Amino acid sequence: MTMYGGRRSQAERDAVTVEIGYALCSAVFAAVVVLGAVAGPTLLFELPGVLERTLRVVGVVLAAVVFLARVVSVLVRFQRPAQPSQPGRTSPDS
């Protein structure tokens, strides 16, 4: 991404597209895992109606929260600029 509001190169646009795709795919995977872990037992066991509905609602809510948190964390991490290098330093302890 350019420093002073200029136009982005094709490589920068491609990098943003790939990062958005990664954020969405990893967020969907994480949300499905959470939903399966919380609401999955309702498919395997006979549970009372109230408990079954509660687990499904909690699973959906947690999955949505995990999805949003994952997307935001990946995209914020991508947006952060790399730390500038320090010319003349040859090792971490110098």
Side-chain angles (χ1 to χ4, degrees):
M1 296 184 246
T2 58
M3 293 275 295
Y4 301 106
R7 298 187 69 133
R8 291 182 177 159
S9 70
Q10 183 64 41
E12 289 170 330
R13 289 192 306 263
D14 290 345
V16 169
T17 302
V18 167
E19 200 64 25
I20 290 170
Y22 170 72
L24 292 174
C25 289
S26 65
V28 165
F29 178 76
V32 167
V33 169
V34 167
L35 181 63
V38 175
T42 63
L43 299 172
L44 298 174
F45 305 110
E46 286 273 332
L47 299 173
V50 173
L51 181 60
E52 189 170 318
R53 275 182 258 127
T54 303
L55 283 176
R56 287 183 183 174
V57 168
V58 169
V60 168
V61 169
L62 282 177
V65 169
V66 166
F67 178 85
L68 289 174
R70 179 67 182 160
V71 168
V72 168
S73 70
V74 168
L75 295 180
V76 166
R77 187 178 61 224
F78 176 72
Q79 186 181 22
R80 243 183 253 145
Q83 187 167 353
S85 63
Q86 297 177 351
R89 302 258 176 158
T90 56
S91 69
D93 15 72
S94 60

